[in-house]
């Protein structure tokens, strides 16, 4: 069964600090997606990572993918309050002809001023 | 704005009732996905349609059904509603045929079952 686990589940950090969110998945896949969800709002696509070693950056967020370790990281540099949100990773794969798109549990990030 | 629309925004109903949620995908997207988000279950994939046909099924209850129409809009029907069905229901769409599947989410429908 495809499982996608994120840690930490909750993260409270001071503005200006750096931190990393981890996403582990249990099956072979070279496609990993990161989404952001503001409280009470919908999900917004942040990054699509398509190969081993892929790295993408947007502002203070940088995502990377290690398909051999089945691990993706979302690194936050010099956090600001506007980054407070819940971050989800997701993996898709086809196994025995069945397509699955599974989201992680989400990491709720709160950046304190 | 993702380009995906959902109606209604909010829905309040009673146990045992039936409701229909509607979704219009982004222009050009053939695939539609339905998700349920509740506090205790996280984001759960329910079902996917591609160009009118069911393509993948997740944790969708038998009381729930969906369809995608020729104009590509989709409806999610929830029947014999229970208190536990109260949740945010999201629709997402994507272009299928590329190597990857980046999904674009609608604003959601918040369902409250009393």
């Amino acid at each position: 069964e495809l499982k996608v686990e994120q840690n930490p589940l909750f993260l409270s950090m001071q503005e200006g600090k750096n931190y990393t969110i981890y996403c582990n998945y249990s099956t072979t896949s070279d496609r990993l997606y990161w989404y952001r969800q503001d409280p009470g709002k919908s999900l917004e696509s942040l990054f699509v990572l398509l190969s081993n070693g892929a790295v993408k950056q947007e502002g203070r967020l940088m995502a990377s993918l290690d398909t051999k370790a089945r691990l993706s990281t979302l690194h936050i540099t010099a956090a600001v309050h506007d980054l407070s949100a819940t971050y989800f990773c997701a993996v898709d794969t086809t196994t025995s002809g069945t397509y699955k798109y599974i989201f992680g549990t989400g990491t709720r990030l709160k950046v304190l001023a | 704005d993702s380009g995906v629309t959902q109606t209604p925004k909010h829905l309040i109903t009673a146990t045992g009732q039936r409701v229909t949620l509607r979704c219009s995908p982004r222009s050009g997207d053939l695939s539609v996905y339905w998700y349920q988000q509740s506090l205790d279950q996280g984001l759960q994939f329910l079902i996917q349609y591609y160009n009118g046909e069911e393509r993948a099924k997740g944790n969708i209850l038998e009381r729930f059904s969906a369809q995608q129409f020729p104009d590509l809009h989709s409806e999610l029907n929830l029947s014999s509603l229970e208190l536990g069905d109260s949740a945010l229901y999201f629709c997402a769409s994507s272009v299928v045929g590329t190597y990857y599947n980046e999904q674009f989410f609608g604003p959601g429908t918040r369902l409250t079952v009393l």
Side-chain angles (χ1 to χ4, degrees):
Chain A
E1 182 188 346
L2 172 56
K3 289 186 180 176
V4 182
E5 295 179 340
Q6 288 181 236
N7 70 83
L9 297 182
F10 299 97
L11 178 55
S12 181
M13 56 191 297
Q14 297 288 330
E15 275 194 330
K17 298 292 187 184
N18 303 334
Y19 209 85
T20 300
I21 298 170
Y22 297 88
C23 172
N24 290 91
Y25 54 97
S26 63
T27 193
T28 302
S29 178
D30 55 4
R31 298 186 297 273
L32 193 291
Y33 312 86
W34 283 97
Y35 293 86
R36 168 184 170 143
Q37 184 180 31
D38 291 313
K41 303 287 186 182
S42 186
L43 281 78
E44 173 192 356
S45 176
L46 289 176
F47 300 110
V48 178
L49 302 169
L50 296 177
S51 61
N52 187 41
V55 177
K56 289 209 173 167
Q57 182 162 5
E58 178 77 32
R60 300 172 188 275
L61 300 177
M62 184 173 72
S64 65
L65 178 61
D66 181 343
T67 58
K68 292 177 182 170
R70 298 180 184 176
L71 170 70
S72 179
T73 60
L74 181 65
H75 187 72
I76 303 153
T77 302
V80 292
H81 181 71
D82 285 351
L83 290 179
S84 297
T86 299
Y87 294 86
F88 292 93
C89 63
V91 173
D92 67 342
T93 188
T94 300
T95 305
S96 304
T98 300
Y99 177 74
K100 289 184 184 289
Y101 198 108
I102 305 294
F103 280 82
T105 47
T107 296
R108 190 179 299 178
L109 170 66
K110 188 171 183 179
V111 181
L112 305 171
Chain B
D1 184 355
S2 67
V4 179
T5 61
Q6 286 185 251
T7 57
K9 258 187 156 175
H10 303 276
L11 203 45
I12 301 175
T13 188
T15 54
Q17 295 298 305
R18 173 189 170 97
V19 297
T20 297
L21 313 184
R22 184 187 167 108
C23 167
S24 292
R26 291 187 321 160
S27 176
D29 286 356
L30 299 179
S31 203
V32 168
Y33 309 78
W34 285 99
Y35 293 89
Q36 179 192 58
Q37 187 177 39
S38 57
L39 282 176
D40 56 344
Q41 293 288 322
L43 194 64
Q44 298 286 318
F45 166 64
L46 296 177
I47 197 163
Q48 178 198 1
Y49 277 84
Y50 172 70
N51 204 18
E53 294 194 4
E54 181 184 308
R55 192 171 188 191
K57 222 167 185 175
N59 302 321
I60 189 166
L61 300 171
E62 283 192 15
R63 300 183 285 109
F64 297 180
S65 65
Q67 54 184 325
Q68 187 179 28
F69 295 87
D71 67 352
L72 301 178
H73 91 271
S74 177
E75 292 181 357
L76 178 67
N77 301 296
L78 316 176
S79 61
S80 302
L81 284 168
E82 301 175 0
L83 294 177
D85 297 328
S86 295
L88 258 175
Y89 291 84
F90 288 109
C91 160
S93 73
S94 71
V95 174
V96 178
T98 58
Y99 174 63
Y100 59 95
N101 187 2
E102 182 182 17
Q103 297 189 12
F104 297 87
F105 282 75
T109 293
R110 183 173 293 280
L111 174 66
T112 302
V113 182
L114 301 175

